[in-house]
Amino acid sequence: FLKSQFTRAETMAAAAAASASPGDESWRIERIGGPATDDDWFPDGRHGNFTNVGEANWHEARARWRNYKNPHVRPAPPPPVPYDTLVNGLATPRRTFELPGRMTLPA
């Protein structure tokens, strides 16, 4: 095992400082059932079994996210653009080239 160059206290202080910065925590999810208590982490008492509340919350949030149905319908793909028109237009020495129409990215 490699020994960490940081002590546990330094690591915890850095984590606390990182979580204290406002505005950059949009990726976080709140605990679905409200804040966790000691009874949530140790349902059988302090010397009983440990339950990882964060992992359970993550699995539940992920299941909700994967079952999300987007109400927006994607528009139909545009008709294909002739390849020769596109290549000839991009090969001209002009600085700008107007695409012949909407197009999808190549697969």
Side-chain angles (χ1 to χ4, degrees):
F1 292 93
L2 295 176
K3 182 140 175 104
S4 174
Q5 63 183 359
F6 301 108
T7 65
R8 180 166 170 76
E10 289 171 333
T11 305
M12 297 299 282
S19 67
S21 58
D24 63 347
E25 297 182 6
S26 60
W27 56 271
R28 289 184 181 265
I29 58 168
E30 295 298 322
R31 182 163 183 276
I32 293 172
T37 64
D38 284 346
D39 293 338
D40 295 328
W41 293 99
F42 299 97
D44 300 329
R46 287 299 272 174
H47 300 290
N49 293 329
F50 172 78
T51 302
N52 190 338
V53 178
E55 181 184 15
N57 187 46
W58 181 85
H59 282 293
E60 187 174 345
R62 183 173 185 271
R64 287 184 183 185
W65 177 76
R66 292 187 52 97
N67 289 332
Y68 175 75
K69 302 294 182 208
N70 190 349
H72 302 290
V73 179
R74 290 184 179 205
V81 174
Y83 180 77
D84 294 335
T85 305
L86 183 62
V87 171
N88 291 337
L90 291 172
T92 59
R94 294 182 297 182
R95 292 183 69 103
T96 59
F97 170 66
E98 187 86 21
L99 293 175
R102 282 183 46 221
M103 50 191 320
T104 59
L105 295 173

